[in-house]
Amino acid sequence: MQSLALRSNHFGRRLNIRLKSSVAASSKKKEDVILPTKEQLHMLAYRAAIPMVGFGFMDNLVMITAGEAIDSTLGVALGISTMTAAGFGQCCSDVAGNLSGGTVDAAVTRMKLQHHGLSENQLDLKISRMYKLLGACVGVVTGCLLGMSCLLFMDTDKADRARKAKELKSIFDHIMTEGRALFNADRATLF
């Protein structure tokens, strides 16, 4: 029993020593990593931006188009708010994004963009992660702005006009049917 405890104890000490030496080796590797060049960092940002342009474009285009269609049909018929219609449009956009994600990735792959040539350790550097994140952010904002171009061709006041027309029709119907009884008249006319 004691020898088993000694072996277990010995194994535990050896494991701790191994863990400490591997941590020291990994920190040594990070110190030895060559910093990426500006060109490599720009290519990394560019490669991160291109797919996000496609994503942002699809996201805004589908959200705006679906939200407007929902607002001008179901929004008027059921009386839901414009924000609710926008939320439903966002749901449609998320589904479309999931369905078309592979298509966007395939299109970007076919572009055969120049590779940045960074190693895994270089990609793990803070500066590399920052350039990649910045590239993705610039890409998605650019795509969203491009996706908003559909607003130039839409009648954005259509739903408001339909709501007002529905309200006026309701007032007209109400006065024509109940107005006679209210005034004890044989006929009622609006002019």
Side-chain angles (χ1 to χ4, degrees), residues 132-175:
K132 187 175 181 179
L133 181 64
L134 181 65
C137 290
V138 168
V140 80
V141 168
T142 303
C144 286
L145 291 174
L146 290 171
M148 288 173 59
S149 63
C150 65
L151 290 171
L152 297 171
F153 309 105
M154 279 186 176
D155 181 8
T156 56
D157 296 328
K158 181 180 174 184
D160 290 334
R161 286 194 308 272
R163 281 189 184 94
K164 286 179 185 174
K166 184 178 178 183
E167 183 180 359
L168 288 174
K169 183 174 178 351
S170 172
I171 291 169
F172 179 79
D173 290 345
H174 187 66
I175 288 175

Side-chain angles (χ1 to χ4, degrees), residues 8-115:
S8 171
N9 211 2
H10 176 70
F11 178 76
R13 272 190 255 134
R14 200 154 113 207
L15 180 64
N16 287 339
I17 293 168
R18 282 188 185 158
L19 286 176
K20 287 177 186 174
S21 64
S22 68
V23 169
S26 69
S27 65
K28 184 180 177 187
K29 283 181 185 176
K30 289 207 178 195
E31 291 171 6
D32 294 342
V33 174
I34 299 170
L35 290 176
T37 64
K38 287 289 181 190
E39 292 80 23
Q40 287 176 315
L41 291 172
H42 289 160
M43 186 52 62
L44 178 66
Y46 184 68
R47 288 179 64 93
I50 295 298
M52 298 311 283
V53 170
F55 168 76
F57 179 79
M58 285 287 289
D59 188 53
N60 255 8
L61 182 74
V62 173
M63 180 189 66
I64 291 169
T65 306
E68 177 65 20
I70 292 168
D71 190 33
S72 62
T73 55
L74 293 175
V76 174
L78 302 177
I80 62 173
S81 70
T82 301
M83 290 304 292
T84 304
F88 284 127
Q90 182 62 45
C91 290
C92 294
S93 175
D94 290 343
V95 170
N98 281 331
L99 294 176
S100 66
T103 306
V104 171
D105 287 340
V108 170
T109 303
R110 274 181 273 167
M111 292 175 72
K112 297 186 180 178
L113 299 173
Q114 181 182 352
H115 197 268

